[in-house]
Each structure stands twice: as structure tokens, then as C-alpha cells.
Amino acid sequence: MRYRTVIVISLAITATIRLAHAADPRYPDWPCTQAKVPEISLAAVWAGPPLDDVMGKWKDDAKVSALVAKLAARRTPLEEAQKAITEYLNGASDKTASGKLLFAGLFESLNAQRSQVMNGLERITRKQREAADKIRSDTLALQALQGEASRDQAKIDELGNQLVWETRIFEDRRGVIKFVCEVPTAIDQRLFALARMIQQEIE
């Protein structure tokens, strides 16, 4: 029977969605196996001097803002980041104050990046849930059409092709989600590494 494979795949997809439950009921749309931590804790990444007096002020310094953007970008290798941090702080009149300002910028920027990624993941999860419902209803409709005494092959083909496309998009998104789930952890690790670099320079 034509479309038997796509029906089997579609039913498997909808069964998976029904069985999938968020690990933490507080975040029903969180799709990752990693626990959702909404924000990075400052105490978890920074052991240097208090930053209360510099939070938000880094944006007023064009040089710091440009350096924050460069260091926060994951495409900038950590070796290059270390060199840029050393050069910047060695040229500063007050190393500690400049280091605090730089890290405050990195902390705010990377936390914002992280929130953006996490919100995107939850948005995709909601789309996946909607897509699974559509796949489920289209699968049932296709099975009904195939069971009719006088089959309308044109309708069957149209719905069958639509279902193939829907399941392909669903599976592609699932692959993207799995990949993007690693990003918040990568941001955490980057921020921790940059914090250590700055602290070592100002100690």
C-alpha cells in the first residue's frame, strides 16, 4: 500500500510527542535533556572584586563595548580572546576597574545571548507540538481516505505527499533542537573561561 511507510513514521512521531514530558514541570516547553537554568549566576563564574558599581556602565565606553562584542562571539577563539584581554588590560590606567567593566559587559551580553537561544528553543518546541498535532490529524485523514470503498487516488496522493513533507520538516527541526541544546552550555563554559582570564590579569 502506498504511503504505508509515511503513515508508520507519522504515527511514531505523534507517539513520541505524546510520551515526551519536560524533565522540569516548571518549564513545559524546554526540550533539552540538560536542566534549564534561566540565568547564569554571577557567583558561579566570577570570583573577582564586586561588580555592583560597574553593571551597565560598560555600554558607555566604546572601546569596552567593541571588545565585549568580539569576546562574546563564539567564533572568536579563546586564544585570541586571551591576547585581546591581556592587551586591553595592560594598556589600562586602572587594571582592576577596567577588568571589572569588561567582565560586567561579558556577563550581561552572554546572559542575553543565552536567553535568546533558550527562548528560541522553547518557541521551536511549541511549533513541534503544533506540527505533531497536524501530522496526527493528516495521518488519520489519509487512513480514512485509503479505507473508502471508492478511493479518490488524487486526494490520497495529495495528502500523502503533504504528510511526507510535514514529517520531513518535523525531523529536520528535531535535529536542529538537539544541536542547539548544546549552545547554552557552551556559552556557560565560554563565560567561565573569560572570567578566569580577566581575573588572572587583575590579581
Side-chain angles (χ1 to χ4, degrees):
M1 185 188 292
R2 289 181 70 184
Y3 305 117
R4 177 177 290 170
T5 304
V6 76
I7 286 173
V8 170
I9 292 170
S10 302
L11 290 172
I13 283 172
T14 55
T16 302
I17 288 291
R18 280 199 301 271
L19 290 170
H21 295 288
D24 189 332
R26 291 175 299 170
Y27 310 115
D29 295 328
W30 182 244
C32 308
T33 54
Q34 300 92 327
K36 181 182 178 182
V37 180
E39 285 191 347
I40 305 170
S41 159
L42 182 60
V45 290
W46 180 251
L51 302 177
D52 301 353
D53 57 330
V54 294
M55 281 297 189
K57 293 182 180 176
W58 61 277
K59 292 177 185 175
D60 301 328
D61 187 316
K63 190 174 181 181
V64 173
S65 294
L67 186 54
V68 164
K70 178 182 178 178
L71 299 178
R74 294 190 302 281
R75 64 178 176 274
T76 302
L78 285 175
E79 295 80 8
E80 190 179 325
Q82 173 72 76
K83 186 181 175 187
I85 288 168
T86 302
E87 285 177 1
Y88 168 67
L89 292 178
N90 281 346
S93 55
D94 185 335
K95 229 180 186 185
T96 299
S98 295
K100 285 169 57 176
L101 199 64
L102 179 59
F103 184 72
L106 287 168
F107 182 75
E108 287 183 29
S109 296
L110 286 171
N111 244 330
Q113 260 188 42
R114 196 171 170 278
S115 293
Q116 205 172 25
V117 169
M118 295 169 92
N119 290 339
L121 279 165
E122 292 183 322
R123 204 160 45 244
I124 292 175
T125 300
R126 290 191 288 274
K127 281 186 179 177
Q128 285 292 79
R129 204 174 287 130
E130 290 167 10
D133 289 340
K134 181 76 164 58
I135 288 168
R136 186 183 301 121
S137 64
D138 286 350
T139 301
L140 294 172
L142 180 59
Q143 288 176 315
L145 283 172
Q146 289 177 326
E148 288 178 355
S150 54
R151 291 156 58 102
D152 185 333
Q153 194 56 49
K155 275 189 179 177
I156 289 172
D157 288 344
E158 184 183 354
L159 190 53
N161 289 332
Q162 183 178 309
L163 205 46
V164 168
W165 184 245
E166 288 169 354
T167 53
R168 187 176 298 158
I169 291 171
F170 185 92
E171 289 298 330
D172 286 348
R173 274 195 196 137
R174 187 146 61 180
V176 168
I177 287 171
K178 189 175 179 183
F179 173 76
V180 178
C181 276
E182 302 297 328
V183 174
T185 301
I187 292 174
D188 293 352
Q189 291 169 346
R190 184 173 188 86
L191 184 59
F192 184 80
L194 293 169
R196 295 285 81 75
M197 291 175 192
I198 294 169
Q199 282 166 208
Q200 284 166 8
E201 292 290 335
I202 65 177
E203 280 173 356

mmCIF file of all heavy atoms in Angstrom, residues 165-202:
data_model
loop_
_atom_site.group_PDB
_atom_site.id
_atom_site.type_symbol
_atom_site.label_atom_id
_atom_site.label_comp_id
_atom_site.label_asym_id
_atom_site.label_seq_id
_atom_site.Cartn_x
_atom_site.Cartn_y
_atom_site.Cartn_z
ATOM 1 N N TRP A 165 6.081 15.697 3.433
ATOM 2 C CA TRP A 165 6.732 16.984 3.637
ATOM 3 C C TRP A 165 6.683 17.405 5.107
ATOM 4 O O TRP A 165 7.672 17.871 5.674
ATOM 5 C CB TRP A 165 6.041 18.020 2.749
ATOM 6 C CG TRP A 165 6.664 19.379 2.780
ATOM 7 C CD1 TRP A 165 6.099 20.520 3.258
ATOM 8 C CD2 TRP A 165 7.976 19.756 2.333
ATOM 9 N NE1 TRP A 165 6.971 21.583 3.140
ATOM 10 C CE2 TRP A 165 8.133 21.138 2.572
ATOM 11 C CE3 TRP A 165 9.032 19.055 1.766
ATOM 12 C CZ2 TRP A 165 9.294 21.830 2.256
ATOM 13 C CZ3 TRP A 165 10.203 19.746 1.446
ATOM 14 C CH2 TRP A 165 10.319 21.112 1.690
ATOM 15 N N GLU A 166 5.523 17.223 5.723
ATOM 16 C CA GLU A 166 5.366 17.597 7.133
ATOM 17 C C GLU A 166 6.302 16.799 8.036
ATOM 18 O O GLU A 166 6.912 17.354 8.961
ATOM 19 C CB GLU A 166 3.914 17.377 7.584
ATOM 20 C CG GLU A 166 2.939 18.388 7.021
ATOM 21 C CD GLU A 166 1.476 18.016 7.241
ATOM 22 O OE1 GLU A 166 1.213 16.891 7.735
ATOM 23 O OE2 GLU A 166 0.604 18.828 6.914
ATOM 24 N N THR A 167 6.413 15.508 7.792
ATOM 25 C CA THR A 167 7.280 14.674 8.639
ATOM 26 C C THR A 167 8.754 15.019 8.423
ATOM 27 O O THR A 167 9.550 14.994 9.364
ATOM 28 C CB THR A 167 7.055 13.166 8.365
ATOM 29 O OG1 THR A 167 7.184 12.913 6.976
ATOM 30 C CG2 THR A 167 5.690 12.724 8.825
ATOM 31 N N ARG A 168 9.098 15.380 7.179
ATOM 32 C CA ARG A 168 10.495 15.755 6.897
ATOM 33 C C ARG A 168 10.868 17.030 7.665
ATOM 34 O O ARG A 168 11.932 17.111 8.283
ATOM 35 C CB ARG A 168 10.671 15.977 5.389
ATOM 36 C CG ARG A 168 12.130 16.207 4.977
ATOM 37 C CD ARG A 168 12.243 16.317 3.466
ATOM 38 N NE ARG A 168 11.827 15.089 2.822
ATOM 39 C CZ ARG A 168 11.412 15.016 1.551
ATOM 40 N NH1 ARG A 168 11.327 16.106 0.815
ATOM 41 N NH2 ARG A 168 11.073 13.855 1.018
ATOM 42 N N ILE A 169 9.974 18.029 7.629
ATOM 43 C CA ILE A 169 10.226 19.286 8.363
ATOM 44 C C ILE A 169 10.328 19.007 9.862
ATOM 45 O O ILE A 169 11.211 19.531 10.552
ATOM 46 C CB ILE A 169 9.103 20.314 8.088
ATOM 47 C CG1 ILE A 169 9.181 20.801 6.635
ATOM 48 C CG2 ILE A 169 9.197 21.500 9.044
ATOM 49 C CD1 ILE A 169 8.006 21.650 6.195
ATOM 50 N N PHE A 170 9.443 18.153 10.353
ATOM 51 C CA PHE A 170 9.437 17.809 11.775
ATOM 52 C C PHE A 170 10.774 17.189 12.185
ATOM 53 O O PHE A 170 11.377 17.568 13.197
ATOM 54 C CB PHE A 170 8.299 16.837 12.069
ATOM 55 C CG PHE A 170 8.132 16.518 13.532
ATOM 56 C CD1 PHE A 170 7.265 17.254 14.320
ATOM 57 C CD2 PHE A 170 8.855 15.490 14.122
ATOM 58 C CE1 PHE A 170 7.119 16.976 15.678
ATOM 59 C CE2 PHE A 170 8.722 15.200 15.468
ATOM 60 C CZ PHE A 170 7.847 15.947 16.251
ATOM 61 N N GLU A 171 11.251 16.237 11.391
ATOM 62 C CA GLU A 171 12.508 15.554 11.707
ATOM 63 C C GLU A 171 13.700 16.500 11.601
ATOM 64 O O GLU A 171 14.630 16.423 12.400
ATOM 65 C CB GLU A 171 12.705 14.345 10.781
ATOM 66 C CG GLU A 171 11.765 13.190 11.079
ATOM 67 C CD GLU A 171 11.952 12.619 12.480
ATOM 68 O OE1 GLU A 171 13.080 12.661 13.016
ATOM 69 O OE2 GLU A 171 10.969 12.131 13.057
ATOM 70 N N ASP A 172 13.669 17.405 10.602
ATOM 71 C CA ASP A 172 14.754 18.385 10.459
ATOM 72 C C ASP A 172 14.827 19.283 11.691
ATOM 73 O O ASP A 172 15.901 19.565 12.213
ATOM 74 C CB ASP A 172 14.549 19.251 9.204
ATOM 75 C CG ASP A 172 14.847 18.491 7.919
ATOM 76 O OD1 ASP A 172 15.421 17.388 8.010
ATOM 77 O OD2 ASP A 172 14.494 18.996 6.834
ATOM 78 N N ARG A 173 13.647 19.727 12.148
ATOM 79 C CA ARG A 173 13.607 20.582 13.334
ATOM 80 C C ARG A 173 14.131 19.847 14.559
ATOM 81 O O ARG A 173 14.788 20.433 15.420
ATOM 82 C CB ARG A 173 12.169 21.042 13.605
ATOM 83 C CG ARG A 173 11.758 22.281 12.845
ATOM 84 C CD ARG A 173 10.492 22.838 13.462
ATOM 85 N NE ARG A 173 9.837 23.788 12.594
ATOM 86 C CZ ARG A 173 8.533 23.833 12.391
ATOM 87 N NH1 ARG A 173 7.729 22.974 12.988
ATOM 88 N NH2 ARG A 173 8.004 24.747 11.612
ATOM 89 N N ARG A 174 13.803 18.560 14.656
ATOM 90 C CA ARG A 174 14.246 17.772 15.806
ATOM 91 C C ARG A 174 15.778 17.727 15.844
ATOM 92 O O ARG A 174 16.379 17.812 16.918
ATOM 93 C CB ARG A 174 13.656 16.357 15.738
ATOM 94 C CG ARG A 174 13.955 15.550 16.986
ATOM 95 C CD ARG A 174 12.860 14.600 17.362
ATOM 96 N NE ARG A 174 12.583 13.601 16.365
ATOM 97 C CZ ARG A 174 11.654 12.665 16.500
ATOM 98 N NH1 ARG A 174 10.930 12.617 17.604
ATOM 99 N NH2 ARG A 174 11.427 11.771 15.572
ATOM 100 N N GLY A 175 16.392 17.602 14.669
ATOM 101 C CA GLY A 175 17.856 17.602 14.593
ATOM 102 C C GLY A 175 18.443 18.938 15.013
ATOM 103 O O GLY A 175 19.462 18.997 15.710
ATOM 104 N N VAL A 176 17.787 20.031 14.603
ATOM 105 C CA VAL A 176 18.238 21.376 14.968
ATOM 106 C C VAL A 176 18.154 21.564 16.479
ATOM 107 O O VAL A 176 19.078 22.090 17.113
ATOM 108 C CB VAL A 176 17.392 22.453 14.240
ATOM 109 C CG1 VAL A 176 17.656 23.834 14.821
ATOM 110 C CG2 VAL A 176 17.698 22.447 12.749
ATOM 111 N N ILE A 177 17.051 21.129 17.071
ATOM 112 C CA ILE A 177 16.856 21.259 18.526
ATOM 113 C C ILE A 177 17.983 20.552 19.274
ATOM 114 O O ILE A 177 18.575 21.107 20.208
ATOM 115 C CB ILE A 177 15.490 20.693 18.959
ATOM 116 C CG1 ILE A 177 14.369 21.635 18.510
ATOM 117 C CG2 ILE A 177 15.418 20.494 20.475
ATOM 118 C CD1 ILE A 177 12.962 21.080 18.701
ATOM 119 N N LYS A 178 18.297 19.336 18.850
ATOM 120 C CA LYS A 178 19.346 18.554 19.525
ATOM 121 C C LYS A 178 20.679 19.295 19.486
ATOM 122 O O LYS A 178 21.416 19.349 20.474
ATOM 123 C CB LYS A 178 19.470 17.188 18.841
ATOM 124 C CG LYS A 178 20.357 16.222 19.595
ATOM 125 C CD LYS A 178 20.352 14.857 18.939
ATOM 126 C CE LYS A 178 21.250 13.900 19.682
ATOM 127 N NZ LYS A 178 21.333 12.577 19.029
ATOM 128 N N PHE A 179 20.970 19.914 18.337
ATOM 129 C CA PHE A 179 22.228 20.656 18.176
ATOM 130 C C PHE A 179 22.230 21.918 19.038
ATOM 131 O O PHE A 179 23.178 22.203 19.756
ATOM 132 C CB PHE A 179 22.419 21.013 16.696
ATOM 133 C CG PHE A 179 23.584 21.913 16.433
ATOM 134 C CD1 PHE A 179 24.883 21.427 16.462
ATOM 135 C CD2 PHE A 179 23.384 23.265 16.176
ATOM 136 C CE1 PHE A 179 25.963 22.264 16.230
ATOM 137 C CE2 PHE A 179 24.458 24.113 15.945
ATOM 138 C CZ PHE A 179 25.747 23.613 15.970
ATOM 139 N N VAL A 180 21.123 22.678 18.975
ATOM 140 C CA VAL A 180 21.050 23.964 19.679
ATOM 141 C C VAL A 180 21.014 23.776 21.201
ATOM 142 O O VAL A 180 21.431 24.661 21.946
ATOM 143 C CB VAL A 180 19.844 24.798 19.181
ATOM 144 C CG1 VAL A 180 19.735 26.121 19.932
ATOM 145 C CG2 VAL A 180 19.980 25.082 17.689
ATOM 146 N N CYS A 181 20.547 22.610 21.661
ATOM 147 C CA CYS A 181 20.528 22.334 23.109
ATOM 148 C C CYS A 181 21.918 22.422 23.724
ATOM 149 O O CYS A 181 22.055 22.641 24.935
ATOM 150 C CB CYS A 181 19.925 20.952 23.379
ATOM 151 S SG CYS A 181 18.122 20.954 23.449
ATOM 152 N N GLU A 182 22.970 22.252 22.911
ATOM 153 C CA GLU A 182 24.341 22.315 23.428
ATOM 154 C C GLU A 182 24.817 23.754 23.610
ATOM 155 O O GLU A 182 25.807 23.999 24.302
ATOM 156 C CB GLU A 182 25.296 21.593 22.454
ATOM 157 C CG GLU A 182 24.963 20.130 22.189
ATOM 158 C CD GLU A 182 25.062 19.264 23.435
ATOM 159 O OE1 GLU A 182 25.902 19.568 24.302
ATOM 160 O OE2 GLU A 182 24.290 18.294 23.556
ATOM 161 N N VAL A 183 24.135 24.711 22.968
ATOM 162 C CA VAL A 183 24.627 26.093 22.946
ATOM 163 C C VAL A 183 24.642 26.762 24.321
ATOM 164 O O VAL A 183 25.648 27.385 24.688
ATOM 165 C CB VAL A 183 23.848 26.933 21.910
ATOM 166 C CG1 VAL A 183 24.261 28.404 21.979
ATOM 167 C CG2 VAL A 183 24.090 26.392 20.506
ATOM 168 N N PRO A 184 23.566 26.670 25.139
ATOM 169 C CA PRO A 184 23.634 27.326 26.455
ATOM 170 C C PRO A 184 24.820 26.852 27.298
ATOM 171 O O PRO A 184 25.483 27.664 27.963
ATOM 172 C CB PRO A 184 22.298 26.947 27.113
ATOM 173 C CG PRO A 184 21.367 26.757 25.961
ATOM 174 C CD PRO A 184 22.213 26.109 24.893
ATOM 175 N N THR A 185 25.118 25.562 27.239
ATOM 176 C CA THR A 185 26.268 25.033 27.997
ATOM 177 C C THR A 185 27.568 25.607 27.458
ATOM 178 O O THR A 185 28.477 25.952 28.223
ATOM 179 C CB THR A 185 26.298 23.489 27.916
ATOM 180 O OG1 THR A 185 25.075 22.985 28.438
ATOM 181 C CG2 THR A 185 27.451 22.912 28.711
ATOM 182 N N ALA A 186 27.663 25.722 26.126
ATOM 183 C CA ALA A 186 28.866 26.287 25.505
ATOM 184 C C ALA A 186 29.053 27.746 25.932
ATOM 185 O O ALA A 186 30.179 28.196 26.179
ATOM 186 C CB ALA A 186 28.768 26.190 23.985
ATOM 187 N N ILE A 187 27.943 28.483 26.043
ATOM 188 C CA ILE A 187 28.016 29.882 26.490
ATOM 189 C C ILE A 187 28.476 29.942 27.947
ATOM 190 O O ILE A 187 29.327 30.768 28.311
ATOM 191 C CB ILE A 187 26.652 30.585 26.314
ATOM 192 C CG1 ILE A 187 26.339 30.743 24.816
ATOM 193 C CG2 ILE A 187 26.643 31.945 27.012
ATOM 194 C CD1 ILE A 187 24.954 31.284 24.514
ATOM 195 N N ASP A 188 27.930 29.059 28.797
ATOM 196 C CA ASP A 188 28.357 28.988 30.208
ATOM 197 C C ASP A 188 29.870 28.787 30.294
ATOM 198 O O ASP A 188 30.572 29.469 31.051
ATOM 199 C CB ASP A 188 27.677 27.822 30.926
ATOM 200 C CG ASP A 188 26.182 28.000 31.077
ATOM 201 O OD1 ASP A 188 25.670 29.093 30.771
ATOM 202 O OD2 ASP A 188 25.515 27.034 31.499
ATOM 203 N N GLN A 189 30.355 27.818 29.531
ATOM 204 C CA GLN A 189 31.783 27.468 29.575
ATOM 205 C C GLN A 189 32.650 28.617 29.076
ATOM 206 O O GLN A 189 33.721 28.888 29.633
ATOM 207 C CB GLN A 189 32.028 26.204 28.748
ATOM 208 C CG GLN A 189 31.416 24.957 29.369
ATOM 209 C CD GLN A 189 31.413 23.763 28.436
ATOM 210 O OE1 GLN A 189 31.623 23.883 27.218
ATOM 211 N NE2 GLN A 189 31.159 22.583 28.981
ATOM 212 N N ARG A 190 32.166 29.309 28.040
ATOM 213 C CA ARG A 190 32.927 30.439 27.494
ATOM 214 C C ARG A 190 33.014 31.566 28.522
ATOM 215 O O ARG A 190 34.075 32.147 28.750
ATOM 216 C CB ARG A 190 32.275 30.933 26.205
ATOM 217 C CG ARG A 190 33.071 32.057 25.532
ATOM 218 C CD ARG A 190 32.525 32.436 24.177
ATOM 219 N NE ARG A 190 33.444 33.375 23.531
ATOM 220 C CZ ARG A 190 34.494 33.008 22.823
ATOM 221 N NH1 ARG A 190 34.775 31.728 22.650
ATOM 222 N NH2 ARG A 190 35.299 33.911 22.276
ATOM 223 N N LEU A 191 31.890 31.877 29.148
ATOM 224 C CA LEU A 191 31.881 32.954 30.140
ATOM 225 C C LEU A 191 32.805 32.622 31.305
ATOM 226 O O LEU A 191 33.544 33.484 31.793
ATOM 227 C CB LEU A 191 30.453 33.192 30.640
ATOM 228 C CG LEU A 191 30.271 34.356 31.619
ATOM 229 C CD1 LEU A 191 30.731 35.681 31.004
ATOM 230 C CD2 LEU A 191 28.827 34.467 32.068
ATOM 231 N N PHE A 192 32.775 31.365 31.741
ATOM 232 C CA PHE A 192 33.644 30.931 32.847
ATOM 233 C C PHE A 192 35.116 31.091 32.456
ATOM 234 O O PHE A 192 35.935 31.598 33.246
ATOM 235 C CB PHE A 192 33.341 29.474 33.190
ATOM 236 C CG PHE A 192 34.103 28.958 34.384
ATOM 237 C CD1 PHE A 192 33.678 29.254 35.674
ATOM 238 C CD2 PHE A 192 35.248 28.202 34.215
ATOM 239 C CE1 PHE A 192 34.393 28.797 36.776
ATOM 240 C CE2 PHE A 192 35.967 27.738 35.313
ATOM 241 C CZ PHE A 192 35.537 28.037 36.600
ATOM 242 N N ALA A 193 35.456 30.682 31.214
ATOM 243 C CA ALA A 193 36.847 30.773 30.744
ATOM 244 C C ALA A 193 37.294 32.235 30.648
ATOM 245 O O ALA A 193 38.412 32.590 31.062
ATOM 246 C CB ALA A 193 36.981 30.087 29.384
ATOM 247 N N LEU A 194 36.427 33.108 30.130
ATOM 248 C CA LEU A 194 36.769 34.526 30.005
ATOM 249 C C LEU A 194 36.927 35.168 31.385
ATOM 250 O O LEU A 194 37.811 36.007 31.587
ATOM 251 C CB LEU A 194 35.689 35.255 29.196
ATOM 252 C CG LEU A 194 35.586 34.863 27.717
ATOM 253 C CD1 LEU A 194 34.322 35.445 27.090
ATOM 254 C CD2 LEU A 194 36.820 35.320 26.933
ATOM 255 N N ALA A 195 36.083 34.762 32.329
ATOM 256 C CA ALA A 195 36.185 35.280 33.697
ATOM 257 C C ALA A 195 37.541 34.938 34.295
ATOM 258 O O ALA A 195 38.199 35.791 34.925
ATOM 259 C CB ALA A 195 35.064 34.703 34.559
ATOM 260 N N ARG A 196 37.989 33.686 34.091
ATOM 261 C CA ARG A 196 39.287 33.264 34.638
ATOM 262 C C ARG A 196 40.415 34.100 34.030
ATOM 263 O O ARG A 196 41.344 34.500 34.722
ATOM 264 C CB ARG A 196 39.545 31.772 34.321
ATOM 265 C CG ARG A 196 38.606 30.789 34.967
ATOM 266 C CD ARG A 196 38.842 30.560 36.457
ATOM 267 N NE ARG A 196 38.257 31.604 37.294
ATOM 268 C CZ ARG A 196 36.953 31.728 37.564
ATOM 269 N NH1 ARG A 196 36.095 30.860 37.093
ATOM 270 N NH2 ARG A 196 36.513 32.704 38.318
ATOM 271 N N MET A 197 40.314 34.346 32.713
ATOM 272 C CA MET A 197 41.365 35.124 32.034
ATOM 273 C C MET A 197 41.467 36.527 32.626
ATOM 274 O O MET A 197 42.568 37.021 32.902
ATOM 275 C CB MET A 197 41.055 35.230 30.537
ATOM 276 C CG MET A 197 41.169 33.943 29.767
ATOM 277 S SD MET A 197 40.620 34.198 28.034
ATOM 278 C CE MET A 197 40.493 32.476 27.478
ATOM 279 N N ILE A 198 40.318 37.169 32.803
ATOM 280 C CA ILE A 198 40.299 38.540 33.330
ATOM 281 C C ILE A 198 40.802 38.558 34.775
ATOM 282 O O ILE A 198 41.614 39.419 35.163
ATOM 283 C CB ILE A 198 38.886 39.145 33.228
ATOM 284 C CG1 ILE A 198 38.495 39.305 31.750
ATOM 285 C CG2 ILE A 198 38.808 40.491 33.940
ATOM 286 C CD1 ILE A 198 37.028 39.640 31.509
ATOM 287 N N GLN A 199 40.345 37.610 35.582
ATOM 288 C CA GLN A 199 40.761 37.551 36.983
ATOM 289 C C GLN A 199 42.264 37.368 37.115
ATOM 290 O O GLN A 199 42.908 38.004 37.967
ATOM 291 C CB GLN A 199 40.017 36.425 37.698
ATOM 292 C CG GLN A 199 38.577 36.796 38.054
ATOM 293 C CD GLN A 199 37.733 35.602 38.447
ATOM 294 O OE1 GLN A 199 36.526 35.627 38.267
ATOM 295 N NE2 GLN A 199 38.343 34.560 38.979
ATOM 296 N N GLN A 200 42.831 36.517 36.265
ATOM 297 C CA GLN A 200 44.275 36.287 36.318
ATOM 298 C C GLN A 200 45.060 37.553 35.990
ATOM 299 O O GLN A 200 46.131 37.804 36.539
ATOM 300 C CB GLN A 200 44.666 35.165 35.352
ATOM 301 C CG GLN A 200 44.296 33.772 35.882
ATOM 302 C CD GLN A 200 44.360 32.701 34.800
ATOM 303 O OE1 GLN A 200 44.825 32.951 33.687
ATOM 304 N NE2 GLN A 200 43.877 31.511 35.130
ATOM 305 N N GLU A 201 44.504 38.368 35.102
ATOM 306 C CA GLU A 201 45.182 39.607 34.706
ATOM 307 C C GLU A 201 45.119 40.688 35.776
ATOM 308 O O GLU A 201 46.018 41.520 35.874
ATOM 309 C CB GLU A 201 44.554 40.155 33.412
ATOM 310 C CG GLU A 201 44.798 39.309 32.174
ATOM 311 C CD GLU A 201 46.251 39.339 31.703
ATOM 312 O OE1 GLU A 201 46.966 40.328 31.990
ATOM 313 O OE2 GLU A 201 46.666 38.361 31.049
ATOM 314 N N ILE A 202 44.034 40.691 36.579
ATOM 315 C CA ILE A 202 43.872 41.792 37.539
ATOM 316 C C ILE A 202 44.295 41.411 38.965
ATOM 317 O O ILE A 202 44.263 42.237 39.864
ATOM 318 C CB ILE A 202 42.437 42.334 37.553
ATOM 319 C CG1 ILE A 202 41.433 41.276 38.051
ATOM 320 C CG2 ILE A 202 42.042 42.849 36.180
ATOM 321 C CD1 ILE A 202 39.990 41.792 38.157
#
